[in-house]
Amino acid sequence: EAGVAQSPRYKIIEKRQSVAFWCNPISGHATLYWYQQILGQGPKLLIQFQNNGVVDDSQLPKDRFSAERLKGVDSTLKIQPAKLEDSAVYLCASSPGTGSFEQYFGPGTRLTVT
Amino acid sequence: AQSVSQHNHHVILSEAASLELGCNYSYGGTVNLFWYVQYPGQHLQLLLKYFSGDPLVKGIKGFEAEFIKSKFSFNLRKPSVQWSDTAEYFCAVVDAGNNRKLIWGLGTSLAVNP
């Protein structure tokens, strides 16, 4: 089965610019997650979707970050405007969502804000 | 709040040495436990998982972990490491009562010298 797809793989922007990341989960997976992973740390959950509804966005900096999952499949994560401290790898993961807690991860997008 | 503690942040071993990475969690209820691995330049992959049943679980590449409920521990072991095991290892726990949120440890960086 195809894995979780993410694009772009790398992005370099200047502070105050905007950026968007795209994620395509494994087909049929109801739950989609966006994580931020700063070098040397574990992933930090930003937002969790169940189908196209938000389940948890308690750690999403809503003044600059936004995410949507239209039609319950693909998802985009946007940062506007970016700050230097947003430099990190942004991971997308998906899980079947019913009885299985295992998450499958995409390759991530490495964002550098200069 | 649920938390996960990984005791070793950096481990350096020689090939053929035995490995044990500690992981403790704080939640006292039903837990689902995972070890994920991130090889250099690659995405997070599931190494092994515990949901129920035999507390000694075997994963890929010769890894195993033992769930000890009384100690709130889920330590990862491998009897003989290889250079290719050089990676970042993350322990994670699903908080079944909190939207199945995955709680992550900070990770352990393992370097295996040939």
Side-chain angles (χ1 to χ4, degrees):
Chain A
E1 89 190 331
V4 177
Q6 288 188 248
S7 67
R9 293 293 309 276
Y10 305 92
K11 190 74 177 178
I12 301 174
I13 61 172
E14 295 181 351
K15 59 183 179 184
R16 291 188 290 274
Q17 285 188 320
S18 302
V19 65
F21 312 127
W22 173 81
C23 172
N24 182 241
I26 293 173
S27 177
H29 279 195
T31 310
L32 185 147
Y33 311 81
W34 282 103
Y35 289 92
Q36 180 192 60
Q37 187 179 19
I38 293 173
L39 189 65
Q41 299 181 18
K44 169 189 166 185
L45 180 67
L46 293 175
I47 189 166
Q48 176 183 343
F49 291 96
Q50 181 74 17
N51 297 309
N52 61 348
V54 175
V55 173
D56 184 347
D57 63 357
S58 57
Q59 297 196 88
L60 186 74
K62 297 180 186 64
D63 58 333
R64 299 184 300 106
F65 286 65
S66 64
E68 60 182 9
R69 190 183 185 197
L70 300 175
K71 301 180 182 177
V73 182
D74 293 9
S75 177
T76 55
L77 176 70
K78 296 179 182 177
I79 307 175
Q80 180 180 13
K83 292 184 176 181
L84 295 176
E85 58 261 37
D86 298 332
S87 293
V89 176
Y90 290 85
L91 300 168
C92 180
S94 69
S95 73
T98 306
S100 172
F101 303 132
E102 183 175 336
Q103 297 183 20
Y104 299 79
F105 285 82
T109 297
R110 182 176 297 277
L111 173 68
T112 302
V113 182
T114 62
Chain B
Q2 173 76 287
S3 65
V4 175
S5 174
Q6 291 184 239
H7 313 302
N8 316 99
H9 296 298
H10 300 282
V11 174
I12 301 173
L13 296 173
S14 298
E15 276 194 318
S18 64
L19 169 73
E20 180 159 3
L21 301 181
C23 173
N24 285 87
Y25 61 94
S26 62
Y27 185 59
T30 300
V31 291
N32 297 279
L33 301 154
F34 301 86
W35 276 97
Y36 280 86
V37 61
Q38 191 168 29
Y39 298 104
Q42 297 188 27
H43 59 276
L44 280 161
Q45 304 172 42
L46 182 67
L47 203 53
L48 46 78
K49 61 187 177 185
Y50 173 79
F51 284 179
S52 63
D54 189 344
L56 184 63
V57 292
K58 296 192 183 297
I60 60 172
K61 304 186 180 185
F63 285 90
E64 64 178 31
E66 185 175 12
F67 169 56
I68 304 179
K69 189 174 182 179
S70 61
K71 295 185 177 180
F72 297 89
S73 71
F74 190 54
N75 292 353
L76 180 71
R77 300 194 293 249
K78 186 172 183 178
S80 176
V81 295
Q82 300 174 315
W83 175 78
S84 57
D85 294 324
T86 295
E88 191 87 17
Y89 292 82
F90 293 94
C91 180
V93 176
V94 170
D95 186 346
N98 186 10
N99 294 319
R100 299 189 291 237
K101 190 173 180 177
L102 206 55
I103 311 297
W104 295 82
L106 291 179
T108 297
S109 175
L110 171 65
V112 180
N113 296 321

